């Protein structure tokens, strides 16, 4: 079997790439997805993301290596499995990132990726209710819901507290300004989750030139004379080879991309030889440069009703369920990450370097995969916080030649003094805002860390003891001109190979300053244009 294009991974990027390449009808496109369809109704319910947090049908449920700077803990690493990928199990916060994030991509040797050059792709993605502006798009497939009008009332207490703390306000993190406190936008349409699967791929599946194989595990790329000729795939239990006339586009994510490259003989020669894989292309950057946002949460007991009361009692559940069933309204129709913003952790910072989430719901992540994510048994809220641009770098590598083995994920969190100091900044900023009058009037006390943290040393220890990934893995196939450290060039072509591009968060040279789903979709749109420009 031969097709013009093979796209590997039907996640946030792959769904868009497959739709765009098949749009003209001129090319045959095969989209391969290891997981299956979305049969759990909670996936479409915005507040229902907890139902897939430990669900092996929709989640790879990886764990990291022991983190030496995090009390030797293994951290949970959920990754989306099935149509829509992680875009079908995330919290739907729609943040592009700061202007300087993308300008830094261009400065790193990637012409064409500066903010002003990627902004048209962001606008092309979205359908924003405020209409077309210099910064927002009105006609794209991804429906955007600003939560400002429907956020829980206590979010206003948070915003007022930031004002009292002297922090700027921001009505649109994706507009002209990035810094400030506000209410997040979400990729939600009419009370239902919107993903690249629902917005791009699903409507295009009727095209005769687009084929989708689910339960299709790609084991290896087929190489010949430094050119990718196709893939070896197990589809519904049958081993198959599919050849490609034009290109293979790898969109399997920051974990699966280096895993597939290394099992195919593409990576650092000495590493591959140690595990018995013949190196076909020595590319040392494969699997290096892993970046993520390290987050810690602060828990507060409230003297008024919060979402803990709505989701934690039978009567509250019934009321929320009726609101949603009758009109896609109420707390189930929104993300639980509602207010927040981007702030400078100290007056000496040149840019906003701290991201914050104010949740009118407090819950702790269960460590037992058989347990459910449930609200804490009191009226409460939490404030989660992370640094925007950490300097620690980790890795993702295979440790076995078998393609079905889980890879080794090492975040290497808090390995730099810069990151340790920013964690202290982040925690202290949460405490400063929480002490402002507008939050104090509704707060009975800090439940955690409370008396455990009384100084900077103890604040750092709290991050080491309680901090976790916020699931923004990126950078493991970084874009750049140096084939000794980078994996793809500015056109997303793999260095030293013909016929293979990578197009998802794994190509980020540096992590963006916010949530990564929106920039991942932007990369996919730009990638499709690059591919078509080279092949039309």
């Amino acid at each position: 079997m031969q097709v013009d294009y093979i796209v590997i991974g039907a996640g946030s990027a792959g769904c868009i790439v497959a739709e765009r390449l098949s749009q003209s009808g001129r090319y045959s496109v095969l989209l391969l997805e290891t997981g299956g369809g979305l049969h759990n109704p909670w996936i479409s319910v915005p507040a229902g993301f907890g139902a897939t947090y430990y669900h092996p049908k929709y989640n790879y449920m990886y764990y990291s290596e022991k983190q030496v700077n995090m009390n030797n803990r293994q951290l949970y690493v959920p990754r989306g499995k099935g149509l829509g990928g992680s875009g079908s199990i995330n919290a739907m916060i729609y943040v592009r990132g700061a202007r300087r994030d993308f300008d830094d991509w261009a400065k790193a040797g990637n012409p064409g990726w500066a903010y002003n050059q990627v902004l048209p792709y962001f606008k092309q993605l979205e359908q924003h209710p405020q209409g077309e502006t210099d910064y927002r798009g009105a006609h794209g497939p991804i429906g955007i819901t600003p939560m400002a009008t429907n956020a829980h009332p206590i979010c206003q207490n948070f915003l007022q507290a930031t004002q009292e703390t002297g922090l700027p306000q921001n009505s649109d993190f994706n507009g002209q300004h990035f810094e400030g406190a506000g209410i997040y936008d979400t990729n939600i349409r009419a009370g239902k989750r919107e993903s690249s699967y629902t917005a791009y791929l699903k409507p295009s599946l009727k095209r005769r030139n687009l084929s989708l194989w689910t339960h299709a595990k790609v084991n290896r790329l087929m190489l010949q004379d430094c050119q990718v000729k196709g893939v070896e795939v197990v589809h519904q239990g049958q081993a198959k080879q599919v050849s490609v006339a034009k290109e293979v586009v790898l969109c399997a994510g920051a974990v699966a991309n280096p895993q597939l490259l290394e099992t195919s003989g593409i990576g650092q020669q000495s590493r591959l030889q140690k595990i018995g894989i013949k190196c076909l292309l020595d590319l040392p950057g494969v699997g290096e440069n892993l970046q993520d946002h390290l987050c810690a949460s602060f828990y507060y007991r409230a003297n008024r009703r919060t979402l803990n009361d709505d989701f934690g009692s039978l009567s509250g559940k019934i009321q929320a369920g009726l609101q949603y069933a009758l009109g896609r309204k109420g707390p189930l129709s929104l993300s639980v990450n509602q207010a927040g913003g981007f702030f400078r952790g100290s007056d000496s910072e040149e840019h906003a370097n701290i991201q914050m989430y104010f949740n009118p719901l407090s819950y702790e992540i269960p460590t037992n995969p058989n347990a459910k994510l449930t609200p804490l048994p009191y009226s409460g809220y939490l404030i989660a916080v992370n640094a925007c641009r950490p300097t620690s770098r980790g890795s993702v590598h295979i440790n076995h030649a078998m393609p079905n083995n889980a890879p080794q994920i090492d975040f290497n969190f808090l390995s730099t003094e810069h990151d340790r100091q920013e964690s202290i900044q982040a925690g202290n900023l949460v405490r400063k805002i929480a002490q402002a009058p507008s939050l104090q009037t509704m707060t009975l006390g800090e439940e955690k860390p409370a008396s455990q943290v009384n100084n900077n040393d103890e604040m750092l220890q709290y991050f080491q003891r309680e901090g976790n990934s916020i699931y923004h893995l990126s950078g493991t196939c970084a874009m750049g001109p140096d084939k000794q450290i980078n994996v793809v060039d500015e056109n997303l072509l793999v260095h030293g190979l013909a016929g293979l591009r990578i197009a998802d968060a794994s190509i980020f040279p540096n992590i963006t300053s916010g949530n990564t789903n929106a920039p991942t979709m932007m990369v996919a749109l730009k990638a499709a244009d690059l591919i078509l420009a080279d092949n039309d």
Side-chain angles (χ1 to χ4, degrees):
M1 176 182 177
Q2 184 181 68
V3 295
D4 291 317
Y5 295 104
I6 296 172
V7 181
I8 301 173
S12 293
C15 288
I16 293 175
V17 171
E19 188 279 330
R20 294 288 292 121
L21 295 181
S22 64
Q23 190 176 76
S24 69
R26 295 170 57 191
Y27 305 114
S28 56
V29 179
L30 174 61
L31 176 59
L32 303 173
E33 168 56 42
T34 306
L38 306 181
H39 306 299
N40 189 324
W42 281 107
I43 289 175
S44 66
V45 179
F49 75 95
T52 56
Y53 191 77
Y54 283 121
H55 199 310
K57 186 174 182 179
Y58 305 106
N59 194 330
Y60 284 100
M61 296 171 55
Y62 292 128
Y63 283 87
S64 75
E65 299 297 291
K66 291 181 178 180
Q67 297 298 289
V68 295
N69 301 303
M70 301 282 292
N71 290 6
N72 278 327
R73 292 185 294 133
Q74 287 184 284
L75 306 183
Y76 183 50
V77 191
R79 295 282 87 195
K81 183 181 183 181
L83 300 177
S86 293
S88 290
I89 67 170
N90 66 3
M92 296 153 293
I93 301 301
Y94 187 84
V95 170
R96 296 169 176 171
R99 173 184 290 270
R100 75 181 185 107
D101 297 334
F102 306 101
D103 289 346
D104 285 349
W105 289 13
K107 290 176 184 176
N110 300 297
W113 291 91
Y115 177 79
N116 286 338
Q117 293 165 306
V118 300
L119 177 59
Y121 290 102
F122 279 120
K123 294 177 65 178
Q124 183 182 333
L125 273 174
E126 66 182 38
Q127 188 177 117
H128 196 281
Q130 76 181 42
E132 187 81 15
T133 70
D134 288 344
Y135 292 93
R136 304 311 299 254
H139 308 293
I142 299 290
I144 303 298
T145 294
M147 291 189 290
T149 57
N150 295 310
H152 195 282
I154 68 169
C155 290
Q156 292 304 315
N157 291 75
F158 170 78
L159 296 181
Q160 291 164 11
T162 60
Q163 286 183 295
E164 292 160 357
T165 311
L167 297 170
Q169 305 298 292
N170 191 342
S171 62
D172 186 0
F173 302 127
N174 299 306
Q176 183 176 4
H177 302 290
F178 185 65
E179 183 178 0
I183 307 291
Y184 286 110
D185 281 359
T186 54
N187 42 279
I188 294 172
R189 181 191 295 274
K192 299 178 72 174
R193 173 189 295 273
E194 185 87 294
S195 69
S196 62
Y197 166 66
T198 59
Y200 279 89
L201 182 63
K202 191 175 181 180
S204 67
L205 287 175
K206 60 182 180 293
R207 295 175 187 164
R208 298 176 65 181
N209 63 319
L210 174 59
S211 300
L212 168 65
W213 289 2
T214 56
H215 304 291
K217 169 67 174 174
V218 179
N219 286 338
R220 287 177 184 82
L221 302 169
M222 302 188 319
L223 274 66
Q224 181 182 332
D225 298 328
C226 291
Q227 181 164 356
V228 174
K229 294 291 189 177
V231 300
E232 296 179 5
V233 57
V234 177
H235 178 222
Q236 297 180 343
Q238 288 190 322
K240 303 175 182 179
Q241 290 188 346
V242 184
S243 61
V244 65
K246 293 186 178 294
E247 292 187 20
V248 173
V249 189
L250 187 50
C251 304
V255 173
N257 284 350
Q259 181 182 21
L260 179 58
L261 291 173
E262 290 183 336
T263 56
S264 303
I266 303 166
Q268 186 183 68
Q269 185 172 16
S270 59
R271 177 177 290 110
L272 297 181
Q273 287 175 341
K274 285 179 182 177
I275 56 177
I277 294 178
K278 181 180 179 181
C279 183
L280 302 178
L281 176 65
D282 187 12
L283 203 55
V286 169
E288 295 294 301
N289 197 49
L290 174 64
Q291 297 161 65
D292 193 8
H293 294 130
L294 173 66
C295 177
S297 295
F298 292 70
Y299 297 82
Y300 296 89
R301 188 180 290 262
N303 61 14
R304 64 190 67 177
R305 189 178 182 87
T306 70
L307 290 181
N308 290 32
D309 304 286
D310 292 326
F311 295 154
S313 67
L314 179 59
S315 61
K317 290 177 183 177
I318 291 173
Q319 183 177 358
L322 285 173
Q323 285 180 288
Y324 191 76
L326 295 175
R328 299 288 185 264
K329 303 291 185 181
L332 288 174
S333 69
L334 303 172
S335 173
V336 298
N337 300 333
Q338 295 185 2
F342 300 88
F343 310 107
R344 304 183 197 205
S346 77
D347 293 338
S348 64
E349 295 293 339
E350 185 178 357
H351 305 281
N353 65 323
I354 304 297
Q355 182 176 10
M356 199 171 291
Y357 303 88
F358 178 85
N359 289 20
L361 171 76
S362 63
Y363 57 90
E364 289 193 279
I365 302 297
T367 56
N368 180 357
N370 297 315
K372 292 184 178 180
L373 193 154
T374 55
L376 291 170
Y378 54 80
S379 300
Y381 64 90
L382 69 79
I383 303 177
V385 67
N386 63 263
C388 290
R389 289 277 297 272
T391 56
S392 297
R393 296 292 182 266
S395 63
V396 175
H397 293 296
I398 61 174
N399 63 352
H400 197 285
M402 297 300 293
N404 291 326
N405 284 33
Q408 294 179 318
I409 302 170
D410 183 3
F411 292 109
N412 200 27
F413 280 139
L414 297 179
S415 59
T416 67
E417 183 62 22
H418 171 275
D419 291 0
R420 292 189 285 272
Q421 290 302 317
E422 284 199 327
S423 293
I424 294 169
Q425 282 186 11
N428 288 340
L429 183 59
V430 170
R431 285 245 173 108
K432 185 177 181 181
I433 294 170
Q435 289 298 316
S438 290
L439 277 179
Q440 280 295 294
T441 60
M442 55 161 283
T443 302
L444 295 175
E446 183 178 281
E447 291 288 310
K448 187 178 178 180
S451 60
Q452 300 173 26
V453 174
N454 299 292
N455 54 52
N456 286 347
D457 288 342
E458 290 177 350
M459 183 65 75
L460 177 59
Q461 290 165 16
Y462 183 64
F463 273 79
Q464 293 171 325
R465 184 174 65 251
E466 300 286 344
N468 276 290
S469 162
I470 205 165
Y471 322 133
H472 295 163
L473 283 72
S474 59
T476 53
C477 297
M479 174 172 60
D482 186 349
K483 65 181 181 180
Q484 292 302 309
I485 57 174
N486 302 125
V487 177
V488 300
D489 64 15
E490 74 273 16
N491 294 311
L492 306 182
L493 287 161
V494 173
H495 287 297
L497 272 183
L500 180 64
R501 292 190 211 229
I502 303 177
D504 56 26
S506 68
I507 66 94
F508 292 8
N510 53 261
I511 194 169
T512 52
S513 292
N515 309 70
T516 52
N517 196 49
T520 298
M521 293 191 289
M522 176 277 291
V523 167
L525 272 183
K526 184 171 171 64
D529 275 2
L530 292 171
I531 294 165
L532 291 171
D534 283 351
N535 288 282
D536 273 0

